[in-house]
Amino acid sequence: MAASHDMVVSGVRPGKVLLVGESMGLFSAGEEGPCSEVGSFRASVAGAELNVAVGLERLGQHPVYMTRLGSDPIGDRIRCFMRQNGLDTSLVGTDASRSTGFMMKSKVERGDPKTYYFRKGSAASAISPSDIGSIDCAGISLMHMTGILPALSVSTMEASEALMDMSRANRIFISFDPNERPALWKSDGHMRRTLLSLCAKADLVLPGISEGRHLFGLDKVRDIGQAFIDNGARYAVVKDGPDGAYATDGHEGVYVPGFKVDAVVDTVGAGDGFAAGVLSALLEGGPLSEALERGCAIGAMQTQVVSDNEGLPTRAELDDFMARHERADVADGTMEPVLVAPD
């Protein structure tokens, strides 16, 4: 439901969505306990940009996904997964000298599971500016990137910069999710400087509360949103966990409450689902309140499954979820999208 005098994002037009990132094998523990001790794991596929691509495809959009895979069973599994989900594999390269990365994830009754990454020197870590230069920009209207790609290697850092430059040169709308992964960076300072620099080049940034706290020392969604605007972004969408989300252009803002679920199974992948929801609505010409509402719904749906992407819905499944689930009770009692003036 759109708020009165809703905010409309300028510069987004229908078209293909470009995503570049690392796909990995995911091995999820079948029982609670340390990954070193559990007896079984369930194999699936993960990767932030891949998750967003799948989410967009299921919602009727046209994602174009680039990555590099090893010539190994995990790489084969990822290609198969992409084909099964209707994703074009023409921009997926094979590196016979490097392996496909993978990760392990523990099972927990509540809270966030522990994740372990095995991606150093992976095929995707060799993505380079030359790979970016080979992309045909015809028909691409939006590029979505996360802070994971630049963290993988010097090569992917250069590729990330090239991706930003190419998008700007071709008037492609840039969406950026900081998606902090401290374990991937050589230092906290390097991570902070790089993410702030990339955020400044984006049209739209999609941080969470934790990233606002780390990058700016702020805790309130309105303060965080304004800080990202002051840093250079045109629009900021701040994820407020299960409570909802806030968006601003620095002049006005809109807050949308989230959706209630009975229990959270796994939070991993919820942010990627949120991004897919927001971007799909904007590509359809929807206002920010509708984009936030869709993002909150898909984020909540993704918390109901163990896999990083199995909870990503079709449009019919999304509409059904939104019709059947109550909205979150936020502090001021807001139950509908509300325009607010930034502090």
Side-chain angles (χ1 to χ4, degrees):
M1 179 184 296
S4 59
H5 310 295
D6 209 338
M7 298 173 61
V8 177
V9 173
S10 65
V12 181
R13 62 188 189 277
K16 298 177 183 178
V17 180
L18 174 64
L19 306 101
V20 182
E22 179 172 32
S23 302
M24 296 178 291
L26 169 60
F27 299 93
S28 303
E31 57 196 78
E32 292 184 34
C35 284
S36 59
E37 299 177 7
V38 300
S40 63
F41 290 84
R42 179 177 180 273
S44 58
V45 169
E49 297 84 1
L50 178 60
N51 293 339
V52 177
V54 171
L56 289 169
E57 176 68 28
R58 290 180 185 171
L59 292 171
Q61 296 300 322
H62 307 286
V64 179
Y65 177 67
M66 170 180 274
T67 193
R68 291 171 66 91
L69 303 172
S71 181
D72 49 48
I74 296 178
D76 293 342
R77 177 183 287 271
I78 291 169
R79 287 182 186 272
C80 181
F81 173 84
M82 289 182 63
R83 289 192 292 268
Q84 290 173 342
N85 282 276
L87 297 177
D88 185 356
T89 60
S90 62
L91 291 182
V92 178
T94 300
D95 189 332
S97 65
R98 297 171 180 265
S99 299
T100 309
F102 71 94
M103 60 185 288
M104 301 174 72
K105 183 167 64 173
S106 68
K107 182 177 181 179
V108 294
E109 184 175 344
R110 58 174 57 89
D112 295 336
K114 289 186 177 180
T115 54
Y116 304 90
Y117 296 102
F118 302 84
R119 63 203 307 179
K120 186 175 182 180
S122 68
S125 71
I127 293 173
S128 69
S130 63
D131 292 312
I132 304 304
S134 70
I135 296 173
D136 180 1
C137 292
I140 295 174
S141 65
L142 189 150
M143 186 276 289
H144 177 72
M145 189 174 80
T146 79
I148 296 175
L149 179 66
L152 299 178
S153 68
V154 173
S155 178
T156 59
M157 179 68 252
E158 294 172 347
S160 300
E161 295 285 0
L163 191 55
M164 286 284 191
D165 293 342
M166 182 193 73
S167 297
R168 280 183 170 269
N170 287 275
R171 301 182 66 184
I172 295 170
F173 188 92
I174 299 172
S175 166
F176 184 72
D177 182 345
N179 214 336
E180 290 185 339
R181 294 288 188 275
L184 298 178
W185 295 88
K186 63 182 181 181
S187 71
D188 181 78
H190 184 224
M191 176 176 71
R192 186 176 184 277
R193 289 190 300 273
T194 301
L195 293 181
L196 286 174
S197 174
L198 292 170
C199 285
K201 298 178 180 180
D203 294 292
L204 169 69
V205 291
L206 298 157
I209 296 291
S210 62
E211 288 149 346
R213 183 179 299 119
H214 176 252
L215 294 175
F216 297 106
L218 302 171
D219 292 294
K220 295 181 179 179
V221 292
R222 283 191 262 183
D223 293 340
I224 293 169
Q226 188 61 48
F228 277 98
I229 297 297
D230 294 341
N231 184 62
R234 291 203 297 129
Y235 301 93
V237 168
V238 185
K239 293 165 281 190
D240 196 15
D243 287 340
Y246 171 77
T248 183
D249 61 0
H251 302 290
E252 60 182 356
V254 61
Y255 190 97
V256 170
F259 289 81
K260 294 180 179 180
V261 293
D262 292 334
V264 172
V265 175
D266 192 331
T267 58
V268 179
D272 301 328
F274 180 91
V278 168
L279 297 180
S280 68
L282 296 181
L283 287 160
E284 293 172 11
L288 266 172
S289 67
E290 181 181 331
L292 298 186
E293 189 173 45
R294 191 180 295 188
C296 287
I298 299 178
M301 295 178 78
Q302 182 55 40
T303 67
Q304 303 302 287
V305 297
V306 173
S307 164
D308 282 15
N309 43 55
E310 287 181 7
L312 300 172
T314 63
R315 186 58 187 271
E317 291 168 340
L318 173 61
D319 290 344
D320 180 66
F321 177 90
M322 293 172 69
R324 291 188 298 104
H325 285 73
E326 296 180 2
R327 307 303 292 272
D329 300 317
V330 295
D332 62 0
T334 300
M335 296 300 290
E336 300 293 349
V338 171
L339 280 172
V340 292
D343 290 336

